[in-house]
């Protein structure tokens, strides 16, 4: 297994030999180490991308597509190996890791085809002897900075459309999960993607990003991570007027109306909340159940939560793995204690789950009844396996509460009323709405937020816009 950095088609160590340890969050055991590179290596990676850009952009879309699709195929071929590696460095249950590998490959497969449909326009002109041509061209060298919660999919969701549009990339994966990124780089080499088109750097995020922001040859940054870091990066991006896509934090409401089909709403609530131990940016953070169905929803949701199995993600049958690090567990604990102190009741969970032989990183899947707007959990991202529920009386109140957030990534609601379905979909101030659907993510749909959840869309044909410039050619005959 490769553990070095990919720069200009070569696998390299940090110039000074520094390395970062990678740990299994379930056991805290060191599983590998990767280079800790700095400014010199980052410059070298940008040089490599810059040198590769003209030839990559000059290829036909079909040529690029074939290479991108081939990377997707190799990821599927090695799905089991990649899934095990992901569980080892990230902690999620193996079944989820397998799902993520397929999901990650699907972004490459989609982009490989979509690149062929990157049409321009010929616009009716302003004078008889003029023609107006609109071309779509690659934005250029693209930096990609990704988080640890989806170590493969957050990369391919950006990589696929960037490559398809003709942009070479410099990828900086999260410190906690560099191995999945490096494994993708290895497969990219096997797929025959030319040297310099994909570069992967591991090391101190601030040092690497300073070089990226200082170098005017980099024209685009696509970032997924916290709102705080996104805001910081947006400030720094002003120096070279870098184009940005920012997929930031979320605080998803999940509304269950009186007329909801609970047979569908309850399993969706469980999947939406507890997938990846609650560590996804579109996880439901707040549940609102209407008065007529509240008690039954809470009873059925509690029962389903109690059936979840916490443990090492690599153990078959485990459905909730560890949290990524000690701070993550402390934050969950703080949110639950704060809710308790403000009158929240905790019928299920509500404490750390201690598991023999494993690290103190596990938290019991938890339900909190009686959530109020004052509670931290009602405002801040918990990123853990805790479901707070509040009762509401009418639709207007539910919408008001749901929209009372600085975030605007995903929102969910369950109803059997078709008029309400459209009304509420339109009223929710979110980039993604799951209407009777707790799992809206898919390669062909536009994923992204509004408000403090950022801007830009990933997935489907919309993703291509993020990596292309529109050029207007005014042609006088
Ligand atoms: P999370 O809370 O999901 O860890 P972060 O925003 O802290 O989110 O991290 C997401 C990505 O942003 C990671 O790859 C991390 O290394 C990177 N990152 C963190 N701080 C900076 C920074 N100052 N400059 C550039 N990247 C950063």
């Amino acid at each position: 297994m490769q553990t070095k950095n990919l720069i200009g088609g070569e696998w390299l160590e940090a110039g000074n030999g520094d390395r970062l340890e990678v740990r299994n969050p379930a056991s805290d055991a060191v599983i590998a180490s990767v280079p800790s590179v700095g400014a010199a290596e980052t410059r070298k990676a940008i040089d490599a991308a810059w040198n590769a850009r003209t030839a990559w952009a000059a290829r036909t879309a079909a040529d690029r597509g074939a290479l991108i699709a081939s990377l997707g195929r190799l990821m599927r071929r090695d799905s089991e190996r990649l899934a095990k590696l992901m569980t080892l460095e990230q902690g999620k249950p193996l079944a989820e890791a397998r799902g993520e590998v397929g999901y990650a490959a699907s972004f490459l497969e989609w982009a490989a085809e979509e690149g062929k449909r990157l049409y321009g326009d010929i616009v009716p002109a302003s004078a008889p002897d003029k023609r107006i041509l609109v071309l779509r061209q690659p934005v250029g060298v693209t930096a990609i900075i990704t988080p640890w919660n989806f170590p493969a999919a957050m990369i391919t969701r950006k990589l696929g459309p960037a490559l398809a549009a003709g942009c070479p990339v410099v990828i900086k994966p999260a410190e906690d999960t560099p191995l999945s990124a490096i494994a993708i780089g290895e497969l990219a080499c096997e797929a025959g993607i030319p040297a310099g088109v994909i570069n992967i750097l591991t090391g101190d995020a601030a040092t690497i990003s300073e070089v990226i922001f200082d170098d005017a040859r980099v024209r685009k940054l696509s970032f997924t991570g916290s709102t705080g870091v996104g805001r910081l990066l947006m400030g720094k991006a002003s120096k070279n007027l870098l184009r940005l896509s920012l997929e930031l934090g979320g605080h998803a409401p999940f509304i269950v109306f009186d007329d909801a089909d609970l047979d569908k709403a309850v399993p969706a609530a469980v999947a939406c909340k507890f997938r990846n131990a609650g560590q996804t940016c579109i996880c439901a953070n707040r549940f609102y159940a209407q008065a007529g169905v509240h008690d039954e929803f809470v009873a059925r949701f509690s029962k389903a939560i109690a059936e979840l199995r916490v443990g090492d993600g690599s153990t078959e049958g485990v459905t909730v793995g560890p949290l990524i690090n000690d701070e993550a567990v402390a934050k969950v604990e703080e949110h639950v204690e704060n809710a308790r102190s403000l009158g929240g009741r905790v019928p299920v969970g509500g404490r750390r789950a201690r598991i023999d032989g494993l690290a103190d990183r596990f938290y019991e899947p938890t339900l909190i009844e009686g959530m109020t707007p004052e509670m931290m959990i009602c405002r801040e991202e918990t990123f853990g396996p805790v479901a707070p529920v509040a009762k509401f009386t009418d639709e207007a109140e539910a919408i008001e509460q749901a929209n009372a957030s600085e975030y605007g990534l995903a929102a969910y609601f369950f109803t059997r009323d078709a008029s309400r379905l459209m009304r509420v979909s339109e009223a929710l101030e979110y980039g993604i709405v799951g209407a009777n659907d707790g799992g809206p993510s898919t390669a062909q749909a536009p994923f992204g937020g509004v408000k403090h959840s950022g801007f830009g869309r990933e997935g489907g044909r919309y993703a291509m816009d993020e990596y292309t410039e529109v050029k207007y050619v005014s042609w006088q005959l």
Side-chain angles (χ1 to χ4, degrees), residues 56 111 138 142 144 157-169 463-464 467:
W56 182 245
T142 293
I144 290 177
R157 194 155 84 171
K158 302 172 188 310
L159 178 65
L163 294 188
C167 304
V169 303
M464 302 302 290
Y467 300 96

Side-chain angles (χ1 to χ4, degrees), residues 214-228:
D214 267 348
D215 195 322
R217 294 174 299 173
V218 180
R219 295 311 317 143
K220 161 90 192 179
L221 167 66
S222 181
F223 170 77
T224 298
S226 59
T227 296

Side-chain angles (χ1 to χ4, degrees), residues 105-408:
S106 75
F107 283 102
L108 298 171
E109 291 154 356
W110 180 273
E113 294 303 318
E114 195 58 27
K116 299 174 191 166
R117 289 181 276 276
L118 203 52
Y119 305 128
D121 284 312
I122 297 176
V123 180
S126 54
D129 64 342
K130 283 201 175 192
R131 300 293 180 268
I132 294 174
L133 276 59
V134 179
L135 314 181
R136 291 179 74 189
Q137 295 185 309
V139 65
V141 174
T142 293
I144 290 177
I145 300 181
T146 54
W148 48 264
N149 58 348
F150 289 91
M154 293 305 100
I155 290 177
T156 57
R157 194 155 84 171
K158 302 172 188 310
L159 178 65
L163 294 188
C167 304
V169 303
V170 176
I171 302 170
K172 203 229 49 87
E175 295 84 329
D176 291 312
T177 57
L179 301 177
S180 296
I182 291 173
I184 291 172
E186 229 181 335
L187 293 177
C189 295
E190 186 181 341
I193 293 177
V197 170
I198 299 179
N199 303 279
I200 302 174
L201 300 172
T202 54
D204 179 62
T207 311
I208 293 171
S209 69
E210 282 306 326
V211 178
I212 288 171
F213 290 122
D214 267 348
D215 195 322
R217 294 174 299 173
V218 180
R219 295 311 317 143
K220 161 90 192 179
L221 167 66
S222 181
F223 170 77
T224 298
S226 59
T227 296
V229 173
R231 194 177 277 124
L232 179 87
L233 301 189
M234 188 167 174
K236 291 182 184 282
S238 67
K239 179 173 180 196
N240 281 315
L241 297 168
L242 208 55
R243 274 188 55 183
L244 291 174
S245 305
L246 299 177
E247 201 264 275
L248 309 177
H251 206 281
F254 188 115
I255 309 167
V256 184
F257 286 102
D258 278 346
D259 59 9
D261 180 348
L262 290 190
D263 289 342
K264 292 190 175 142
V266 171
V270 173
C272 185
K273 174 71 251 181
F274 294 97
R275 187 166 60 105
N276 205 3
Q279 304 172 111
T280 88
C281 44
I282 61 165
C283 263
N285 279 264
R286 300 167 277 149
F287 291 83
Y288 297 98
Q290 201 164 4
V293 79
H294 172 273
D295 292 356
E296 192 187 345
F297 174 71
V298 167
R300 288 169 67 169
F301 194 20
S302 301
K303 183 165 178 289
I305 292 172
E307 285 164 7
L308 293 169
R309 198 168 145 221
V310 183
D312 185 332
S314 58
T315 306
E316 210 55 55
V318 161
T319 47
V320 178
L323 296 181
I324 191 71
N325 53 36
D326 295 340
E327 295 75 48
V329 192
K331 185 176 184 191
V332 170
E333 210 160 38
E334 187 186 9
H335 279 196
V336 173
E337 290 321 311
N338 170 267
R340 269 201 182 105
S341 73
L342 292 168
R345 294 172 301 285
V346 187
V348 193
R351 55 189 177 148
R352 289 176 188 241
R354 314 263 180 200
I355 301 172
D356 278 352
L358 294 180
D360 185 16
R361 292 269 163 65
F362 298 83
Y363 201 87
E364 287 186 356
T366 298
L367 184 136
I368 298 175
E369 259 188 280
M371 174 183 69
T372 62
E374 294 71 40
M375 294 177 181
M376 289 168 90
I377 201 162
C378 194
R379 297 189 307 273
E380 295 174 23
E381 268 191 300
T382 308
F383 245 56
V386 185
V389 187
K391 194 188 284 187
F392 71 93
T393 44
D394 61 32
E395 186 180 307
E397 184 193 350
I399 290 170
E400 190 191 328
Q401 299 275 338
N403 285 341
S405 171
E406 67 191 34
Y407 294 110

